[in-house]
Amino acid sequence: MDTYQIIQEDQIEVLLEEGKKASKAEVMEIIEKSRDCYGLSLEEAAILLQIEDDEVLSHMFDAARYIKEKIYGNRIVIFAPLYTSNECTNNCLYCGFRVANKQLHRRTLGVEEIVHEAQAIEKQGHKRILMVCGEDHRKTHVQHIVDAVKAVYQGADIRRINVNAAPMPVEDFKKLKEAGIGTFQIFQETYHRETYKKMHPSGSKADYDYRLTAIERALEAGIDDFGIGVLLGLYDYRFDVLATLMHAQYMDERYSVGPHTISIPRLRPALDSALSETPYPVSDQDFRKIVAVYRLTVPYTGIILSTREKAELRDELLNLGVSQISAGSKTNPGGYEEDDREATQFETSDERSLDEMLQVICEQGHLPSFCTACYRANRTGAAFMELAKDAHIHEFCQPNAILTFKENLVHFGSEETKAKGEQMIDQELEKIDNDKVKKETQERLKRIEKGERDLYF
Ligand code: SAM
Ligand code: SF4
């Protein structure tokens, strides 16, 4: 497939121009229609991306909250990143790991060190890891990732490892699949070719097309959960968000599998970054708009938010449609055991521990989930989407969130978190409509109290 057909820049520009012409009544109609949870077209998304009126925006935010609640309930999935290396042969202008940064303390963790990191993450109470890899083929080649994934599954009670790594050939993706990774995540950074070229002046990442087609090779290798996104701030967010949706639509139409997740990283200051300022700043209000447009357009795709964002905004975005967040994160290899700020990729903004985060999530009426069941019960890719679209996924998610949160509280919760968490669990149990499932969940909760682990539907 001609990659210019996957992301049609001219078409995106036309849609965005047309989007400006919509009347307030037309915009409101699209927002109302989105509440059916069937998703929206690219034309409609382009119109929503052009909203500037605060009153109309607040209607869109209400719709995003409604859809989030209807599809995901009040669950929030929690994970932690694990950086395996900060050695990199690329020179992405915005990243602290770029090869030209001579100030960075470089380090690639050995397999044993990676397992120690995973154990430190596990001690916080996590069950899901996102393994984030540098891009130096001599150090962080596929075998390094494969060995790390296998060793962590064996050496720590981590139940799902997602991977964020450089694009690779199908044979290498097959090795990742065989090692048992969950989602393969890769960000195009910007879909705007000219900007992409400027931001990635050298190294293998300079190849836009090879990166764009990575998820198709992953799919060919049998990895049907893939995550995409752009680095917000590199180019006009309207263009890049619409392009992300175009990429998602292309995958859905051609392979019948849309992205499992879309991430929304926003550019952060990085040690020795080559960018003196953010080229296209994204305000907090723009950021809320982006989350809402994704939620309305692709309601069944998870939205991932990281600790790049400050605490108050993160709390707010949970209501607008974010379905997964990281907590207690470190962005330097080895950071969970010893913190070296001269080795981090970028500055994180939300430094709260997982335990603190869990309290805030409960206080805001959300149910933290450490569930990893779908992947292990083969509910992935198209099978997952089918269940999600019929809203059946809710029947698994709710009890699984309750059970996994309970397990976290029993083993890791502080007294304060336990008190708030137990209250939340009681409240959530009442929401299970199916009496049989409710009863079974109550029984399993008792078993977890007695020390049993890893119970799920
Ligand atoms: N090296 C691989 C790559 O570039 O795809 C995988 C890991 S890279 C460390 C993960 C992501 O970090 C990048 O895709 C980019 O979006 C993000 N990133 C890099 N520099 C950043 C910055 N200054 N602020 C926020 N996110 C950044
Ligand atoms: Fe290397 Fe990835 Fe950072 Fe680019 S974004 S410099 S490829 S680690």
Side-chain angles (χ1 to χ4, degrees), residues 88-92 94-99 133-135 189 200 205 345:
C88 191
T89 45
N90 286 316
N91 201 16
C92 313
Y94 44 82
C95 178
F97 292 175
R98 69 199 182 97
V99 65
C133 309
E135 192 167 335
E189 320 297 11
H200 308 100
K205 195 160 162 181
Q345 188 196 10

Side-chain angles (χ1 to χ4, degrees), residues 3-253:
T3 50
Y4 285 83
Q5 291 303 313
I6 302 176
I7 302 300
Q8 301 167 31
E9 294 199 4
D10 292 351
Q11 172 72 357
I12 293 172
E13 302 288 5
V14 169
L15 289 176
L16 287 172
E17 271 314 303
E18 288 296 311
K20 285 185 192 159
K21 297 181 193 154
S23 67
K24 189 168 169 180
E26 282 168 314
V27 180
M28 294 300 281
E29 207 174 299
I30 296 170
I31 295 174
E32 268 323 293
K33 180 183 148 193
S34 74
R35 288 175 177 254
D36 293 342
C37 297
Y38 291 124
L40 298 175
S41 66
L42 293 179
E43 287 78 3
E44 290 165 332
I47 291 173
L48 299 183
L49 282 165
Q50 297 292 9
I51 304 176
E52 293 297 341
D53 179 328
D54 278 340
E55 193 199 322
V56 182
L57 274 178
S58 88
H59 281 290
M60 177 156 76
F61 296 159
D62 286 345
R65 277 185 215 105
Y66 172 83
I67 296 169
K68 155 91 204 314
E69 180 64 31
K70 193 164 165 195
I71 296 178
Y72 294 87
N74 56 347
R75 293 180 305 281
I76 297 288
V77 169
I78 319 266
F79 72 96
L82 192 170
Y83 279 68
T84 58
S85 171
N86 59 10
E87 295 193 81
C88 191
T89 45
N90 286 316
N91 201 16
C92 313
L93 299 190
Y94 44 82
C95 178
F97 292 175
R98 69 199 182 97
V99 65
N101 181 357
K102 300 295 175 218
Q103 296 174 42
L104 190 81
H105 297 170
R106 301 275 171 184
R107 187 171 174 198
T108 296
L109 302 182
V111 167
E112 243 173 68
E113 290 172 307
I114 294 173
V115 173
H116 284 153
E117 281 288 279
Q119 287 166 343
I121 291 173
E122 184 198 329
K123 272 195 205 128
Q124 290 188 24
H126 284 287
K127 294 289 172 231
R128 267 176 191 250
I129 279 181
L130 171 67
M131 210 175 255
V132 184
C133 309
E135 192 167 335
D136 179 337
H137 296 292
R138 292 160 303 182
K139 310 257 177 151
T140 50
H141 40 73
V142 71
Q143 202 52 45
H144 184 258
I145 310 178
V146 165
D147 292 344
V149 169
K150 286 185 176 165
V152 169
Y153 277 137
Q154 272 192 349
D157 186 17
I158 293 296
R159 299 173 190 163
R160 177 168 173 132
I161 303 173
N162 299 331
V163 171
N164 181 316
M168 52 188 91
V170 177
E171 310 83 82
D172 287 357
F173 276 124
K174 282 188 180 154
K175 293 178 189 160
L176 288 189
K177 166 80 185 163
E178 198 259 326
I181 71 158
T183 307
F184 175 72
Q185 185 185 74
I186 187 163
F187 306 150
Q188 189 64 21
E189 320 297 11
T190 173
Y191 285 93
H192 189 252
R193 281 180 189 266
E194 200 186 307
T195 308
Y196 188 93
K197 205 168 160 193
K198 270 192 238 154
M199 294 292 159
H200 308 100
S202 60
S204 48
K205 195 160 162 181
D207 190 340
Y208 176 105
D209 293 332
Y210 192 62
R211 194 167 180 90
L212 184 69
T213 49
I215 52 177
E216 290 173 69
R217 290 190 297 281
L219 201 59
E220 197 183 328
I223 300 173
D224 56 5
D225 274 1
F226 52 85
I228 59 174
V230 285
L231 183 53
L232 296 162
L234 296 183
Y235 188 61
D236 182 356
Y237 73 84
R238 296 172 190 84
F239 179 98
D240 267 333
V241 168
L242 201 56
T244 308
L245 291 166
M246 193 177 254
H247 198 185
Q249 193 184 63
Y250 162 79
M251 292 302 289
D252 206 4
E253 280 173 4

